[in-house]
Amino acid sequence: PYQNPGAPALGRPGFWYGRRIVARLRAAHTAAGLLTVAAAVAVPVARRDAAAGTAVLESAGWALEALLVAGAAAVAWVVCRRGRTEARADHRLDRAATTLLPGAALALLTAVLVYACWSRPGWTSSGRLPGDFAFGLLMLGQGCCIVALAAVARSLYRRAPDPATALRGLGGPAVAVLACALGGVMSGGVAGRFADWLGDEAPAEPPVLLAWQAAVLPPVLLALACLAVLHAARAARTRRRIAAGVAAEYPGSVPDGDRSRRIAGARTAAALTDSAPRFAAALSGITLVLGAGALAGAWLTGQVPGEAAHGAHPLLEAAARAAQDAGSWLVGLGFLLFVTWGRRAYRDPAARRTVGVLWDVGTFWPRAAHPFAPPCYAERAVPDLTWRMTAWTGRTGGRLVISGHSQGSVLAAAAVWQLPPHVRHRVALLTYGSPLRRLYGRWFPAYFGSGPLLSLHRDVDCWRNLWRATDPIGGPVVPEAGPAVDRGPLPDPVAYGRTEQQPLPAPVLGHFDYQDDPAFAAERDALLARLSGPRPLPDDRCGADGAPPGAAPAAASGTGAGAGLPAPRLSRERAEPGDPPGTAG
């Protein structure tokens, strides 16, 4: 990659070369998990041995606790000292961190299990499972981190405000709240089922905090249902308003109420994407408040909700017990629904497409935060695409058209940012159904905000983007440049009723099949014609129709096939002297 310290964030040399740091972080997280289990087993046993006064077992307990503290310090040192760098590609091997650390943690866990299984006559388990204070401390720490993250995000937004940014810079903290809540719910469900399993042999109950977390789940779901009803009512009004003017957009068409409502419904459903930030803000705010209430209730009362409400008003006591019981069952039901939805993705194409969209977005970013996440496919696709573009333009002296649909447009932009400037000027972009600005720019403004995308538009030879109002994912990418980049919204369907060109009712295509739209063929032919002419001057930008003159005998197209959204596949073809314009690629 081009060594340019002033390049955009995605153009930094080490951005897509983080596999070594992922290996180190994976080892550190694995060791931390093993040490956590070891500590949960060793600490209660060591406290009992210290109280019993057994010299040998007490000494072994103190030694194991000391080793656990040393292991925790080693994990913290690896995470903090050997972090991620984007200034250079990370090719350093670190076998001490990747091999010795998890191996030592596993050996320590084995020693702890042997120590805990040692015979202790007269010692039986009773009461609640340990970890109530640890769960509360973890939840409090997560809340404090989220508040600090919100303060930092708000400060960064004030320095460089962008109206298109989701929740005025608070999108990251809002998602973090929901992620922590989901993790807490899943942990509570596992602990509850484990307590039930242990209860067959000895009385055991989950920690109090987990019971409070389960009790606040029904109110959260009720608030979620109210938000869904509110958005549905608003969408119904919007659909009726749009349907009244759909026929007028197709001159000479005979109005058809059913056809207009179907088109208006597609546009309304696509527009719901733009309301996702408000939905996430409301849900995360409710979750944060109720989560704080659950933590306070658990620490102040020391009892589960049903017991804490004992003696209060009968309705309040009944509501607390009902919320606790319903939340416990909802946790298990939610896990089953999660597994069922995953299985459905293998049988239902629509569900598989939805899961594929989420999977492609989730696996685009490098695993800098969570090393157990699925592998980042962009760490393979972006460098490969970058090197192929650089090598081909250097060998042939030609220029390229990179065509990318949906997630493929994101990969194409990321690869172009990694190019040296002299190669970047020889590349033209044709994107369609692109989430670059609508989704990525809104949630990741530092990487795909208005500034980076406008800079990319100025750096490449030409950029044309197609979008539809019925597309829930794609949209304009550089609205500041006007029609010089974005062409849309394209008519969808292409015809309102039956015509000689469309003897059957044209379908609503939404996010897919842009290649079937006449506008795609027109823009593609214009870009290829631009390539077939003399090379343009540096200030010769492509205009609204995408057809100013250009140069060079090469083109490349990128579509692709991921789990849901397409990823670029580079192909190239060189025009021979005497070929008609537009035959390259």
Side-chain angles (χ1 to χ4, degrees):
Y2 178 63
Q3 303 288 332
N4 182 9
L10 291 180
R12 295 170 186 163
F15 192 89
W16 301 109
Y17 292 82
R19 285 174 291 183
R20 302 300 185 188
I21 180 60
V22 168
R24 291 192 288 270
L25 288 179
R26 186 188 301 115
H29 280 66
T30 301
L34 296 174
L35 292 175
T36 301
V37 176
V41 174
V43 172
V45 179
R47 294 293 177 267
R48 184 266 175 194
D49 291 339
T54 307
V56 176
L57 292 179
E58 183 180 359
S59 300
W62 283 111
L64 290 174
E65 287 184 331
L67 291 175
L68 288 172
V69 172
V75 169
W77 183 82
V78 169
V79 173
C80 299
R81 175 65 179 83
R82 308 186 182 188
R84 175 180 172 86
T85 177
E86 296 175 359
R88 63 184 183 277
D90 187 0
H91 299 298
R92 181 183 57 179
L93 292 174
D94 196 344
R95 299 194 181 279
T98 57
T99 304
L100 297 181
L101 186 60
L106 180 60
L108 183 56
L109 175 60
T110 303
V112 166
L113 293 177
V114 172
Y115 163 71
C117 292
W118 199 266
S119 177
R120 293 173 176 83
W123 189 36
T124 58
S125 61
S126 62
R128 297 190 177 277
L129 293 176
D132 211 348
F133 178 76
F135 273 111
L137 191 63
L138 178 62
M139 186 174 178
L140 179 62
Q142 288 176 339
C144 293
C145 289
I146 289 172
V147 172
L149 179 62
V152 173
R154 189 62 180 168
S155 176
L156 293 175
Y157 180 80
R158 287 197 185 101
R159 297 179 187 177
D162 186 350
T165 303
L167 304 181
R168 296 183 179 273
L170 297 179
V175 174
V177 169
L178 300 178
C180 291
L182 181 61
V185 168
M186 292 296 179
S187 300
V190 172
R193 301 288 80 77
F194 190 69
D196 292 341
W197 175 64
L198 288 179
D200 294 337
E201 302 295 335
E205 299 179 10
V208 174
L209 178 59
L210 298 185
W212 278 88
Q213 287 181 332
V216 301
L217 185 58
V220 170
L221 294 180
L222 180 61
L224 180 62
C226 293
L227 290 174
V229 171
L230 179 62
H231 281 77
R234 184 178 301 171
R237 292 194 300 269
T238 303
R239 179 186 177 186
R240 289 193 297 268
R241 177 177 55 81
I242 295 176
V246 168
E249 300 176 6
Y250 297 87
S253 299
V254 178
D256 183 344
D258 184 65
R259 179 71 163 170
S260 296
R261 285 190 295 271
R262 188 177 295 110
I263 298 174
R267 295 183 186 178
T268 304
L272 290 178
T273 301
D274 301 322
S275 62
R278 295 192 297 271
F279 190 85
L283 183 58
S284 61
I286 295 171
T287 302
L288 182 62
V289 172
L290 291 179
L295 179 61
W299 278 6
L300 293 178
T301 65
Q303 297 176 318
V304 297
E307 297 175 356
H310 182 69
H313 193 279
L315 291 178
L316 180 60
E317 182 178 356
R321 292 187 180 279
Q324 179 182 338
D325 296 339
S328 178
W329 283 104
L330 285 173
V331 169
L333 179 62
F335 181 77
L336 291 178
L337 291 176
F338 184 78
V339 174
T340 303
W341 192 44
R343 289 177 57 86
R344 182 187 170 200
Y346 288 95
R347 302 178 181 179
D348 186 357
R352 183 164 57 250
R353 180 172 290 179
T354 302
V355 172
V357 169
L358 299 176
W359 184 272
D360 282 344
V361 174
T363 56
F364 169 76
W365 296 102
R367 294 174 293 174
H370 203 312
F372 293 116
C376 170
Y377 68 90
E379 286 187 325
R380 303 186 307 273
V382 171
D384 287 349
L385 185 57
T386 300
W387 282 110
R388 293 186 69 179
M389 287 190 289
T390 304
W392 190 83
T393 54
R395 186 175 67 252
T396 66
R399 288 184 291 139
L400 299 171
V401 173
I402 305 299
S403 170
H405 170 243
S406 192
Q407 188 72 7
S409 66
V410 182
L411 290 176
V416 171
W417 264 316
Q418 288 278 319
L419 294 172
H422 70 278
V423 178
R424 199 178 305 152
H425 293 320
R426 307 178 73 89
V427 173
L429 288 173
L430 175 60
T431 57
Y432 36 101
S434 173
L436 276 169
R437 183 65 176 270
R438 191 177 184 184
L439 297 182
Y440 282 86
R442 182 170 294 177
W443 293 95
F444 309 101
Y447 300 93
F448 294 100
S450 57
L453 291 179
L454 186 59
S455 175
L456 180 63
H457 160 57
R458 293 168 179 166
D459 288 345
V460 297
D461 180 73
C462 182
W463 190 358
R464 300 294 292 159
N465 177 69
L466 308 177
W467 64 282
R468 301 182 180 123
T470 56
D471 190 342
I473 296 175
V477 292
V478 192
E480 296 83 359
V485 175
D486 295 301
R487 178 174 175 178
L490 302 178
D492 187 31
V494 294
Y496 184 81
R498 300 175 186 267
T499 64
E500 293 183 358
Q501 293 77 20
Q502 296 285 341
L504 297 176
V508 178
L509 299 178
H511 181 62
F512 300 97
D513 298 323
Y514 273 84
Q515 294 90 336
D516 296 339
D517 196 297
F520 177 85
E523 295 293 343
R524 179 196 57 198
D525 293 343
L527 285 175
L528 293 176
R530 177 182 176 87
L531 294 178
S532 65
R535 180 164 184 168
L537 297 175
D539 59 348
D540 183 13
R541 312 298 303 172
C542 56
D545 58 355
S557 64
T559 55
L565 297 182
R569 180 184 66 252
L570 186 65
S571 62
R572 60 190 183 276
E573 183 174 328
R574 189 167 184 176
E576 297 297 332
D579 285 346
T583 57

